[in-house]
Amino acid sequence: RSVNHDKKMARVKSIADSFTICPMLLVQESKEAVIHAREKGWII
């Protein structure tokens, strides 16, 4: 989900930072998520 509002983005970041069971990655573009997933071996 795209969030371009500073206050909303701070809220989303605080939620992401509080995840302990599985990490949540915040990215600007989908390609960053793809690179991350490849590095983790989740996709080829």
Side-chain angles (χ1 to χ4, degrees):
R1 177 175 172 216
S2 178
V3 179
N4 293 321
H5 185 277
D6 289 339
K7 187 174 179 181
K8 289 179 182 178
M9 190 59 211
R11 174 77 175 126
V12 169
K13 181 158 177 25
S14 100
I15 292 169
D17 290 345
S18 70
F19 273 52
T20 57
I21 295 173
C22 72
M24 182 176 168
L25 182 67
L26 296 176
V27 297
Q28 291 291 323
E29 297 182 12
S30 298
K31 66 182 177 180
E32 295 173 68
V34 170
I35 292 167
H36 175 76
R38 282 193 177 130
E39 289 172 353
K40 296 292 184 182
W42 297 333
I43 60 173
I44 298 174

